[in-house]
Amino acid sequence: MMKATHQWIDSYVGSGLDAPEVARRLTLAGTEVEKSEPAGTDTCFTLEVTSNRVDCLGVLGLARELAATLGREIALPDVSYAVSTVAASQAASVSIEPGALSACPYYTAQVIRGVKVGPSPAWLRQRLEAIGLKSINNVVDVTNFVLFETGQPLHAFDLAKLADRRIVVRFARDKEAFRPIADRKGRASIALDTQTLVIADGRNAQAVAGVMGGADSEVHAGTTEILLESAYFEPRGNKQTGKRLELDSDSHYRFQRGVDIGGVVFASRRAARLITEVAGGEVLDGVLEAGRVESTPRPVTVTLHEVARVLGVGVTLSPMESMFRGLGLEIAGATPEAVTVAVPSFRRDLVTSRDLVEEVGRIHGLEKIPAPLRMTVAIAKPTRRQRVRAEIRRALMGQGFSEALTDTFVSGQGELGSFGVAGDSPLRLAARNPVNAALPALRRNLMGSLLNALCTNERQGIKGPRLFEVANVFAPSPDGQSTGERGAVGLLAPGFLDAKGAVEALLESLRVKAPLAAVPLSHPAFRAERSARLMLGNRKLGVVAEPSAETLKLAQCDGPCAMAELELDALVDAWVDTPRLEELARFPAAERDLAFVLDASTPWADVEGVVRAACDATLRGVELFDEFRGKAIGAGRKSLAFRLHFRHDDRTLTAEEITGQMNAAIEAVKGKLGGILRG
């Protein structure tokens, strides 16, 4: 954020425009005035400055923006002053240690002696107080004024307090003590590290470079001789230093964004002139310098044709040149069809001709550019897949499940790591550069991810959570050269019947008409006789199973639990989107129960299929309600008890008709499955 006042900005332009109009022009040109508030007889603007416009962190940069919209150029402040016959090099010296040149490529200082530190004049206090700064003294106030005027931070040292009357830019010694001028954390002293760039005298650190000055050499009422610092510090290191030390300042705000290296001396000369005006004294001859500065203007050419092609509106040569001059860009050459400008160092964001087109567009006024094209915007309807996903979430949350969001990457270890509903594969889908070395593989199923979620819940004391997730899982191609992904629905419930019942309830919520069947599944990742493949008609739907003891141990889960994973595509295809009303039955249904002793390996799906095939269309439902195993029926055997529902749409069924259907079912189970009818 940047603060500046209406009168301060316009003092360099002389537009005579009122505050609302200045705010409007700045905002339309791309530097938004977020807030305007009274500041005495002036108006204070709070501006949002984009990261590429560091020049607008100074009032002169904002004045250029305003001047360009008016076709004017700003009047730069006078930086001339008389100098002493004594050379500055006789009073002080500055240097940069070789190891610090990358962090501070350019450092300058001026020496001013004979100053009288005291209160600032009214005009200076008013300028600073209008933007929320407290007046300190005339010397410090000038450095703050020039910081906000030019965007270049400065610092004034009491030269008499600098050991050996010298400045050395270096990295701090380990645990070197530093006393900041101001610290929001209230620390009297900070122990520095060797990554911190400091401005030191002949003995100790006197400032954290570009962040905060030190209390040991600050200007005070008795100061008569000052060393005025103006430098360029590398932005990234400066930002890290402020963050690491938890120090902040207006200077740090600008240095970490990158100040104008070509404006270092200009700002120093501007401050030196003002200090002699408000505090007296004389400037010693010469600017003390260390390091090198290169700020040669870059030539960039833009053609009228490119402006017209990109903006869709033509701009003639004369107003375009006027815009560039207002922005501080020198016209280096021009033809009837093109303009070449010399881009100064304070506009590092201007690199190509397209950047200049953007400058023309925003100064000309984007609101003046016609927009003949119209784009129709319509609300997109959710796809079938999106609607099914939403239905699945609603249905499962309605059953008391909580949605889990798990990591796509897993360890991939164990039998469950290679299991996929569509088929197992020994190939491991490992990332070349995993973010987490403990989780290098893409998951093959959601069941392993939900087991990890169960483990996390158990560690937090939450037992038996009911979780679900709708997400993608991955599978390698048969040749291992590519990876495919598919949508899946994963469930975690306390027990096998809970998980299977949740699947059945989900299918009912989706109005799926195809019958659900469970086929025994044998896999080392799951418990024997507590795992099954699910079929939806003739299509594979998924798996429901309880994890084996080895799987639970590898996942570090206590259990018990059961899991289910369903193919999302199968659910999308089977979903009936529109409920259909069916006429209520006008005739009563008849129910009959049967119980058979069968081989323990006979699945219920086979029994149901045989019964349905043996009966006619009056059989409306077959419902398993009991399974029993024990000594009474013998080892390797089980008893299945189920209920048959009969109904005719046009009349009441007779006892003889029902008996005939029952007999047909009994004979079919006996003959095809070897069942023994229980009395």
Side-chain angles (χ1 to χ4, degrees), residues 111-231:
V111 178
I112 308 173
R113 67 184 183 184
V115 299
K116 184 177 181 180
V117 177
S120 294
W123 71 267
L124 182 53
R125 291 198 312 273
Q126 290 168 2
R127 279 281 191 255
L128 298 179
E129 290 170 356
I131 60 173
L133 293 183
K134 181 181 177 181
S135 176
I136 298 173
N137 59 54
N138 47 10
V139 173
V140 174
D141 286 357
V142 165
T143 61
N144 285 332
F145 175 87
V146 175
L147 179 149
F148 275 87
E149 180 185 53
T150 66
Q152 170 65 42
L154 306 167
H155 184 68
F157 295 94
D158 185 332
L159 183 56
K161 293 185 176 182
L162 297 179
D164 302 331
R165 299 177 68 86
R166 61 190 291 243
I167 285 291
V168 180
V169 183
R170 60 173 172 81
F171 283 100
R173 297 183 289 269
D174 188 33
K175 297 182 180 179
E176 183 172 3
F178 170 69
R179 295 203 308 129
I181 290 176
D183 179 25
R184 64 175 182 267
K185 298 177 73 67
R187 294 168 292 183
S189 179
I190 299 174
L192 305 178
D193 56 38
T194 57
Q195 299 179 57
T196 302
L197 187 72
V198 298
I199 310 302
D201 59 13
R203 289 193 291 269
N204 303 313
Q206 297 296 333
V208 173
V211 179
M212 183 72 66
D216 294 337
S217 57
E218 66 177 318
V219 172
H220 59 95
T223 300
T224 60
E225 197 173 14
I226 65 172
L227 183 141
L228 182 64
E229 169 193 282
S230 183

Side-chain angles (χ1 to χ4, degrees), residues 5-265:
T5 68
H6 160 237
Q7 293 177 12
W8 195 354
I9 295 171
D10 201 39
S11 65
Y12 307 104
V13 182
S15 69
L17 299 174
D18 60 14
E21 178 61 17
V22 170
R24 187 188 74 84
R25 285 178 175 270
L26 289 174
T27 298
L28 290 178
T31 305
E32 182 181 1
V33 177
E34 290 195 341
K35 183 168 62 174
S36 298
E37 51 191 345
T41 59
D42 205 346
T43 300
C44 179
F45 298 144
T46 300
L47 304 103
E48 178 67 36
V49 178
T50 56
S51 59
N52 65 323
R53 294 302 307 276
V54 184
D55 60 302
C56 287
L57 292 177
V59 176
L60 287 176
L62 299 173
R64 288 191 189 94
E65 295 290 292
L66 176 61
T69 66
L70 297 167
R72 300 185 181 186
E73 297 179 50
I74 66 169
L76 288 172
D78 188 0
V79 296
S80 63
Y81 48 82
V83 296
S84 168
T85 56
V86 178
S89 58
Q90 297 178 17
S93 66
V94 300
S95 63
I96 304 172
E97 289 191 351
L101 274 169
S102 60
C104 176
Y106 188 51
Y107 187 93
T108 74
Q110 293 199 80
V111 178
I112 308 173
R113 67 184 183 184
V115 299
K116 184 177 181 180
V117 177
S120 294
W123 71 267
L124 182 53
R125 291 198 312 273
Q126 290 168 2
R127 279 281 191 255
L128 298 179
E129 290 170 356
I131 60 173
L133 293 183
K134 181 181 177 181
S135 176
I136 298 173
N137 59 54
N138 47 10
V139 173
V140 174
D141 286 357
V142 165
T143 61
N144 285 332
F145 175 87
V146 175
L147 179 149
F148 275 87
E149 180 185 53
T150 66
Q152 170 65 42
L154 306 167
H155 184 68
F157 295 94
D158 185 332
L159 183 56
K161 293 185 176 182
L162 297 179
D164 302 331
R165 299 177 68 86
R166 61 190 291 243
I167 285 291
V168 180
V169 183
R170 60 173 172 81
F171 283 100
R173 297 183 289 269
D174 188 33
K175 297 182 180 179
E176 183 172 3
F178 170 69
R179 295 203 308 129
I181 290 176
D183 179 25
R184 64 175 182 267
K185 298 177 73 67
R187 294 168 292 183
S189 179
I190 299 174
L192 305 178
D193 56 38
T194 57
Q195 299 179 57
T196 302
L197 187 72
V198 298
I199 310 302
D201 59 13
R203 289 193 291 269
N204 303 313
Q206 297 296 333
V208 173
V211 179
M212 183 72 66
D216 294 337
S217 57
E218 66 177 318
V219 172
H220 59 95
T223 300
T224 60
E225 197 173 14
I226 65 172
L227 183 141
L228 182 64
E229 169 193 282
S230 183
Y232 178 88
F233 301 110
E234 187 271 325
R236 182 178 299 179
N238 186 267
K239 181 177 182 178
Q240 293 171 347
T241 297
K243 185 176 182 180
R244 189 171 61 253
L245 299 181
E246 298 183 83
L247 290 173
D248 200 8
S249 64
D250 289 320
S251 296
H252 175 54
Y253 181 79
R254 287 159 176 77
F255 275 127
Q256 67 179 307
R257 285 160 174 77
V259 300
D260 172 23
I261 196 169
V264 169
V265 174

Side-chain angles (χ1 to χ4, degrees), residues 527-581:
R527 280 184 60 190
E529 299 184 358
R530 302 296 283 180
S531 55
R533 286 197 181 274
L534 300 177
M535 302 293 295
L536 200 57
N538 295 322
R539 182 170 183 175
K540 291 181 180 179
L541 175 62
V543 170
V544 59
E546 291 185 4
S548 66
E550 291 76 12
T551 300
L552 286 173
K553 182 179 179 181
L554 186 62
Q556 298 180 341
C557 291
D558 296 332
C561 68
M563 308 168 296
E565 184 169 321
L566 311 177
E567 294 274 7
L568 181 59
D569 286 344
L571 296 176
V572 171
D573 294 341
W575 174 57
V576 177
D577 60 344
T578 304
R580 296 183 181 180
L581 296 178

Side-chain angles (χ1 to χ4, degrees), residues 456-472:
T456 301
N457 278 270
E458 288 179 346
R459 286 198 299 267
Q460 301 300 320
I462 302 173
K463 301 296 183 182
R466 296 165 65 85
L467 304 174
F468 81 93
E469 183 171 15
V470 184
N472 286 342

Side-chain angles (χ1 to χ4, degrees), residues 257-581:
R257 285 160 174 77
V259 300
D260 172 23
I261 196 169
V264 169
V265 174
F266 176 86
S268 179
R269 292 180 60 82
R270 171 63 166 159
R273 176 187 172 98
L274 289 177
I275 288 173
T276 58
E277 288 180 0
V278 303
E282 62 176 355
V283 183
L284 300 194
D285 188 24
V287 176
L288 302 176
E289 295 179 289
R292 296 182 60 187
V293 58
E294 294 182 6
S295 58
T296 305
R298 303 182 308 278
V300 180
T301 301
V302 63
T303 66
L304 300 183
H305 173 72
E306 184 176 8
V307 171
R309 181 174 60 83
V310 175
L311 298 182
V313 61
V315 179
T316 58
L317 192 64
S318 179
M320 191 184 303
E321 290 180 344
S322 179
M323 294 176 200
F324 291 150
R325 290 192 185 96
L327 291 170
L329 311 181
E330 181 184 348
I331 305 299
T335 69
E337 298 298 328
V339 179
T340 299
V341 300
V343 179
S345 57
F346 62 80
R347 289 302 304 273
R348 298 193 312 273
D349 58 308
L350 302 181
V351 178
T352 68
S353 61
R354 193 61 58 90
D355 297 324
L356 294 182
V357 173
E358 182 181 349
E359 296 299 289
V360 173
R362 67 185 187 83
I363 300 302
H364 174 73
L366 296 177
E367 74 282 2
K368 298 177 183 177
I369 297 175
L373 298 178
R374 294 292 183 267
M375 180 173 65
T376 302
V377 178
I379 299 175
K381 293 182 179 180
T383 64
R384 181 181 179 89
R385 190 181 187 85
Q386 290 170 334
R387 293 173 65 189
V388 171
R389 288 175 69 108
E391 287 287 344
I392 290 171
R393 288 189 174 94
R394 279 194 290 268
L396 292 176
M397 286 190 286
Q399 293 184 48
F401 284 83
S402 298
E403 185 169 10
L405 298 174
T406 61
D407 201 325
T408 302
F409 286 91
V410 295
S411 67
Q413 300 297 324
E415 296 290 348
L416 188 58
S418 62
F419 177 79
V421 171
D424 290 7
S425 173
L427 294 174
R428 195 163 182 240
L429 303 174
R432 290 190 181 93
N433 298 298
V435 176
N436 185 345
L439 304 174
L442 287 169
R443 61 185 173 196
R444 302 290 307 281
N445 55 70
L446 294 180
M447 294 185 287
S449 298
L450 292 176
L451 268 184
N452 291 333
L454 172 62
C455 181
T456 301
N457 278 270
E458 288 179 346
R459 286 198 299 267
Q460 301 300 320
I462 302 173
K463 301 296 183 182
R466 296 165 65 85
L467 304 174
F468 81 93
E469 183 171 15
V470 184
N472 286 342
V473 295
F474 303 85
S477 61
D479 58 6
Q481 299 301 310
S482 61
T483 301
E485 60 181 309
R486 60 178 182 81
V489 179
L491 300 176
L492 179 78
F496 181 85
L497 295 180
D498 289 320
K500 185 171 181 293
V503 172
E504 292 169 345
L506 173 61
L507 296 179
E508 185 176 347
S509 298
L510 296 176
R511 298 178 288 276
V512 174
K513 298 300 183 182
L516 176 68
V519 179
L521 168 65
S522 177
H523 193 280
F526 309 121
R527 280 184 60 190
E529 299 184 358
R530 302 296 283 180
S531 55
R533 286 197 181 274
L534 300 177
M535 302 293 295
L536 200 57
N538 295 322
R539 182 170 183 175
K540 291 181 180 179
L541 175 62
V543 170
V544 59
E546 291 185 4
S548 66
E550 291 76 12
T551 300
L552 286 173
K553 182 179 179 181
L554 186 62
Q556 298 180 341
C557 291
D558 296 332
C561 68
M563 308 168 296
E565 184 169 321
L566 311 177
E567 294 274 7
L568 181 59
D569 286 344
L571 296 176
V572 171
D573 294 341
W575 174 57
V576 177
D577 60 344
T578 304
R580 296 183 181 180
L581 296 178

